[in-house]
Structure formats: structure tokens, C-alpha cells
Amino acid sequence: MTAVAVREPGTPAVFGRAAAAEWLRLRTVRTTWWCLLAAAVTIVGIGVIMAYDADDVYATGELPPATAAGEFGVMLGQFALLVLVLLAVTQEYASGAITPTLQWTPRRGLLLAARLTVPVLAATAAGVLLALTADITAWLIADLPFSPGDVADSLGRVAAVLLAGGALAVGVGLLLRSTAGALATVFLLQLVLPFLLPAFGVQWMADLGELLPGTGAIWMLLGEPDMTAGQATALLVGWAALAVGLGGASLLRRDAG
Amino acid sequence: MIEVRGLTKRYGAVTAVDDLTFDVAPGKVTGFLGPNGAGKSTTMRMILGLDRPTSGSALVGGRPFPRLAEPLRAAGALLDAGAVHPGRSGRDHLRVAARTHGIPLRRVDEVIDQVGLGPAARRRVKGYSLGMRQRLGIATALIGDPAVLLFDEPMNGLDLDGVRWIRRLVRGLADEGRTVLLSSHLMSEMEQTADHLVIIGRGRLIADASFQEVMRGQGSGRKVRVRTPSTDQLAGALLRRGAVVHPSGDGELLVEGVTAEVVGDVALEEAVAVHRLAEEHSSLEQIYLDLTGDSVQYRVAGAPELVAQR
Ligand SMILES: Nc1ncnc2c1ncn2[C@@H]1O[C@H](COP(=O)(O)OP(=O)(O)O)[C@@H](O)[C@H]1O
Ligand SMILES: [Mg+2]
């Protein structure tokens, strides 16, 4: 064998390859497709049910906008998409596949960037498309009011929820490395506790609930509870940044797995 | 070329790798030998930047592996054949590897052929036998046509055909001028395979020499086996002559440090009957056990003790 001096690609090229590999990883496992199917059924399915329910509301004359379909759908269906993102991270620790992954992309900062970008963007794009499908379904079937301006605004909020939730899932996955542990944590932070804590009627519990990322997501999608857009955004961004910070540090500093 | 310098890894109170320094030269198969738990896997993982050394460093082709933009072109490794996503096909696993380096798809099919994975490559890894996983792991190691290869216990669990195949493969890779580091906990796997041996025990370097040197170095410590009805009397007399004496059951003694002539003479002086007297040459396995004996962490209970302390 002869050694040939090859010029090494620069950082942007290495990132591009890592991202392309990440995309291929996502496409070549069945769990991704199962999660997408579950998301489609939940988001569009809820949208259609909303649309039929709206028929009852006809009598009162009070019609929700078509965008409510996508928003309700994403409120529940986001979990299928977050599972997709989470498994892209934790499955590698469960199977040991993180070892070859880090041999192929040993620059861990680049791996973190690719792993944050590709699955999160894929899940967000899928969620936005599905929400749009739900909106259009509700409009066509139930004749709910549909305005392009509303839809654009609504899809923006859907995207924000999924971007932040996806980043939270990646961070928690990298930090805990266990599918069950990370799934439980994301589920609690994003859905269970924000709904459960205020339900006890104890003030400090309700206050605590208002500090969770899921509360920001609920506000974005359902307009509840009473808070400003700034506060909701701060919750989403703050928790996502915290999770990515801790999870990223774990990837960069700890042994491979 | 792999350069390991003062490499150390501690897990809490356990020192898995203890100040290791050695080089692995190109064009040879270097056997990396040591009992289970000696620190072989940990060393290889540190060379590849998977585990962070407590101290020390390792260079692959003159550079730290974790900084490389195209690491698969510098070094390929088979560490744990099971460490693959079970739901992905073998070919897709290789495609992901190729994509991280801009390696064309043609090369994926080339290495699939080279390791003889064949049509199984399109099946999901979940259904692979250990042998097929090893082949997939080796295909992954070869995909970037690297100058350095690391194989961690690649023969473990393989049948004879598999072992022969690995032997031919590593020999061929070394003959092409590549650097090959091949770990094992069995000396027998190194026979007919390794040109050079790096032997470790409890994380420390025990030997770093050619296969022949290791054989010769230990060959001088020949032993004498003697059978006598008066073991205690003969053992006492031999101990006074400075020999090391091990009982070996059935009225036999294994004597180190003196020649067969001396044992015979001592027996005559003591007027002890000798029913058998023979020099023993160490087997390959024996040399290895002698070298690593002190380093084995868990001894078999009831191992022979010295007859008497000097
Ligand atoms: N992640 C870990 N945490 C704690 N101890 C470990 C870890 N990995 C390895 N060890 C310990 O380090 C020592 C060396 O292990 P290893 O490198 O696997 O040895 P070998 O490959 O030679 O059998 C063993 O005592 C093992 O128990
Ligand atoms: Mg090992």
C-alpha cells in the first residue's frame, strides 16, 4: 500500500458529511417510519375529529378557526415526533452503535451539531406538514374558517414547539443515555407535569408548573395559561438550551458509552 | 504506526491501564496479549479517542485520532462486533460509514464482497450470527482503506474456519504494509499470526518484543521433572541448593533453577530413588502463563504452592 497525501476537508465539509450520515441513519431504521405514522394518525386524526365536533358548534354560531385542528393535533402528536428524535440519540447507547459513530465522527462537537440539526429539523418539518394537512382537512370537511395569515402564524408556533421540544429531547437523551429514562423525563416535563401540577389546586405547585417547558408549549398551541409570548418563548428556549448544554457537555466530556 | 505514551486510565479505585508505552510498527501483525481484564480493550478505546485517558496520549499515524477529519482513512477498528443498530441492514450500516467520509457506494459493495457477507448484507443486523457481525465489523474497519487497523479479540467465539479466515486477512493486511494491532487473551491465537507481541497484565506492560524473542527469553527457564518416593527429602535437599521446587502431584516435583544433572547428583548424595527424570521445555501457553502469572487477578483456588520457603 502506498500512502497518498490527501488534503483534508475543512470543518464545514465534515459537518455536511456528518449531517448527511445522520439523515441516512434516520431513514434506515423502521422506528422513524413508525413514529411518523403515529404522528400522522394523531395530528391529522385529531384534526378530523375536531372538524366533525365543530359541526355541533354550528348551532351556537361559534366556530373555531381551522388552525385549531393542527394545534390540538400537535399538542398530542408531538410525542411521536419527540420519540423519533429521542431514539436517534438513545438507541445508539442501547445498541452500542455510539462506538462506531464516534469512530467515524470523532470530533464530538460536530457530531452534536449534526445530531441536533438533522433529527430535530426532520421532526419539525414533518410536524408542520402534518399540522397543515390537519388544518386543510378541517377546512375542507367541516368548513372551518381558514385564512392564510392564521395558518402561517399557527404553523410558526407549531414549529417553535417542535424545535424546542426536539432540542430538549436530544439534550436529555445525551445526558441520560437511557431510552426509558429520557422518555419519562421528556414526557413529564413536556406534558404530564404542566397539566397535573395546577390540577392539585395548591398554589406553589401551580407556580412550579408554570416554570416547565411544557407550559410554554401549551401556551404556544392552546393559548393557555395566562402569560406573555415572551415568557412562553423564554421557557421553550431556556429549557432547550439547558438540556442541550448539559447533554452536549456529557457527549463532549464523558467516555463514549 | 501507533504510538502509545504513558497511557493511563483509572475508573475510581481501579487502574485499568497503568502508564503504558509502546509502538506498533507498520508491515507487521502485533499481537496485543493479556488475560481478561488486563486493559486491552480500554487501551484500544483510548487510542481511538472513545475513552478519555486519565493521563498519557496516543497517536495514530502521528496525530491524535479524535482530531482527524477523515478518521476512517487513518485507522479502522473492530472493537465490539455487537455494537451495531440491530434494526439497520449491514449494507446501510456501511453506507452510513461511507457517507461520513464521502466514500462512494461502490466501495461499500467492494468491502461487502471482500469479507464475504454477500446477500446477507441487505438483511437487518438483528438476525446476524456472531461470525456475520464480525465480518460486518471488519468490512467497516476496511472501508476507508486505512493504514492502521485495530481488532479487539476478533477470533473470540469463531469456529475454526472463521479463525483461519481472520489469520489470512490480518497477514494479508500486514503484508500490504499496514499497521495491525490484534488483541487476544489466548497465546494460542497468536501462534501463526503475530510477528510481534505486546503483553500486558493488570494494565502494565510485561513484554514488548518479537514473537521469537518472547519464546527464547522464557525458554532459558527450563524445568526438570523428577519422580521419587521421597519427595520431601529430595525437595529439601534441592531447596538448599538454591532450586525452586513445585510439587506436581503423584510423587513428582517440578524443579526450576538447576539442571537435570544437578537433580540426579543431589538424589545420589541423598540416596533417594529416582523413578523418572526429564527436562521440560515450556509450551507457548506456559510461557504466557509464566509471564502474566503475577498479573492474573483471580487465581484458581488450590493452585500449587512452593513445597517450602527458602
Ligand atoms: N467503564 C468501566 N468502568 C469501570 N471499570 C471498567 C470499565 N471498563 C473497564 N473497566 C475495568 O478495567 C479493567 C480493564 O478492562 P478491559 O480493558 O476491558 O480489559 P481486557 O480488554 O484486557 O479484558 C477491568 O478490570 C475492567 O473491569
Ligand atoms: Mg477486552
Side-chain angles (χ1 to χ4, degrees):
Chain A
M1 20 142 4
T2 49
V4 184
V6 188
R7 228 159 39 98
E8 283 203 338
T11 301
V14 177
F15 170 76
R17 288 169 171 183
E22 204 63 17
W23 176 235
L24 187 59
R25 276 192 185 95
L26 216 52
R27 289 196 294 122
T28 50
V29 291
R30 288 187 193 175
T31 41
T32 302
W33 302 104
W34 285 118
C35 287
L36 281 181
L37 181 67
V41 169
T42 318
I43 296 175
V44 181
I46 298 277
V48 171
I49 290 168
M50 276 269 319
Y52 278 125
D53 271 356
D55 276 337
D56 304 332
V57 204
Y58 249 94
T60 68
E62 200 48 65
L63 277 184
T67 50
E71 287 160 6
F72 263 118
V74 169
M75 191 60 236
L76 289 177
Q78 62 172 314
F79 291 99
L81 297 171
L82 296 188
V83 168
L84 185 161
V85 173
L86 195 94
L87 285 179
V89 176
T90 56
Q91 207 341 286
E92 294 225 324
Y93 291 102
S95 64
I98 186 68
T99 303
T101 294
L102 282 173
Q103 280 172 54
W104 308 337
T105 310
R107 288 159 74 173
R108 298 189 184 191
L110 285 181
L111 182 69
L112 174 65
R115 196 140 278 189
L116 199 56
T117 315
V118 176
V120 175
L121 282 184
T124 303
V128 167
L129 274 178
L130 289 172
L132 178 64
T133 310
D135 293 353
I136 292 174
T137 309
W139 172 47
L140 292 181
I141 295 184
D143 215 18
L144 295 186
F146 183 95
S147 90
D150 273 0
V151 171
D153 171 66
S154 165
L155 294 184
R157 282 181 282 111
V158 164
V161 166
L162 292 173
L163 284 174
L168 179 76
V170 170
V172 172
L174 287 173
L175 186 65
L176 299 183
R177 298 188 172 185
S178 124
T179 302
L183 212 56
T185 305
V186 170
F187 209 73
L188 283 172
L189 289 175
Q190 192 78 353
L191 184 74
V192 179
L193 292 180
F195 277 115
L196 209 58
L197 286 178
F200 285 108
V202 180
Q203 191 53 45
W204 69 265
M205 282 184 155
D207 290 348
L208 188 65
E210 296 216 346
L211 296 175
L212 296 178
T215 306
I218 295 168
W219 185 90
M220 286 281 171
L221 295 173
L222 309 181
E224 300 165 357
D226 225 8
M227 61 169 64
T228 64
Q231 284 170 320
T233 308
L235 279 181
L236 292 184
V237 173
W239 276 92
L242 177 70
V244 169
L246 293 175
S250 167
L251 175 66
L252 294 183
R253 285 165 200 273
R254 280 172 67 189
D255 288 346
Chain B
M1 179 80 169
I2 304 173
E3 297 154 77
V4 171
R5 294 289 173 270
L7 211 52
T8 301
K9 178 73 174 179
R10 273 191 281 275
Y11 296 105
V14 178
T15 303
V17 174
D18 194 354
D19 195 21
L20 271 190
T21 296
F22 62 89
D23 286 344
V24 187
K28 288 186 208 171
V29 177
T30 299
F32 191 26
L33 203 57
N36 279 323
K40 304 180 296 293
S41 300
T42 306
T43 303
M44 288 178 143
R45 293 175 64 83
M46 287 194 287
I47 291 172
L48 295 170
L50 294 166
D51 291 355
R52 177 185 294 266
T54 307
S55 59
S57 63
L59 299 180
V60 173
R63 298 178 57 192
F65 186 83
R67 302 238 190 92
L68 297 176
E70 299 194 308
L72 279 180
R73 297 194 198 276
L78 167 66
L79 296 185
D80 173 4
V84 181
H85 193 304
R88 197 172 277 128
S89 75
R91 189 164 181 277
D92 283 342
H93 177 74
L94 289 166
R95 282 172 66 209
V96 174
R99 192 142 306 179
T100 57
H101 284 61
I103 294 170
L105 207 55
R106 176 168 31 85
R107 176 70 185 152
V108 169
D109 294 316
E110 226 170 79
V111 288
I112 288 174
D113 284 344
Q114 189 180 350
V115 302
L117 207 51
R122 289 180 188 269
R123 295 214 316 265
R124 290 197 287 167
V125 171
K126 202 178 279 183
Y128 282 19
S129 65
L130 176 65
M132 287 158 74
R133 281 171 204 244
Q134 302 275 39
R135 282 171 195 263
L136 176 60
I138 288 169
T140 317
L142 296 176
I143 199 167
D145 193 22
V148 174
L149 288 145
L150 299 95
F151 298 123
D152 193 7
E153 308 245 8
M155 302 183 192
N156 235 2
L158 291 190
D159 58 16
L160 203 57
D161 274 349
V163 170
R164 284 208 191 103
W165 180 74
I166 300 238
R167 281 203 169 122
R168 267 201 310 274
L169 178 89
V170 295
R171 173 52 44 212
L173 291 169
D175 289 348
E176 288 167 354
R178 296 179 215 261
T179 305
V180 182
L181 184 63
L182 175 80
S183 86
S184 174
H185 66 281
L186 296 173
M187 184 70 160
S188 56
E189 287 180 351
M190 293 298 166
E191 205 177 359
Q192 312 160 45
T193 314
D195 308 302
H196 194 91
L197 292 176
V198 171
I199 305 180
I200 64 171
R202 288 199 188 180
R204 295 212 191 97
L205 190 70
I206 293 177
D208 176 2
S210 76
F211 195 88
Q212 284 77 15
E213 280 166 346
V214 171
M215 293 287 288
R216 255 186 275 119
Q218 287 296 307
S220 57
R222 269 179 313 192
K223 294 182 180 130
V224 179
R225 185 174 292 277
V226 55
R227 185 184 298 160
T228 170
S230 324
T231 42
D232 287 356
Q233 192 186 345
L234 182 58
L238 286 168
L239 284 169
R240 285 193 293 279
R241 287 290 191 98
V244 177
V245 184
H246 307 272
S248 107
D250 255 4
E252 287 196 351
L253 298 173
L254 203 55
V255 186
E256 279 179 88
V258 292
T259 61
E261 288 83 353
V262 172
V263 175
D265 291 351
V266 169
L268 184 62
E269 284 165 23
E270 295 285 320
V272 167
V274 169
H275 295 165
R276 177 177 177 231
L277 184 61
E279 284 193 338
E280 289 206 342
H281 296 273
S282 298
S283 69
L284 197 56
E285 233 26 80
Q286 191 58 48
I287 291 172
Y288 173 52
L289 286 176
D290 289 347
L291 275 171
T292 57
D294 292 337
S295 74
V296 176
Q297 302 193 20
Y298 308 101
R299 283 176 173 283
V300 181
E305 299 281 326
L306 287 182
V307 170
Q309 301 297 322
R310 271 199 281 167

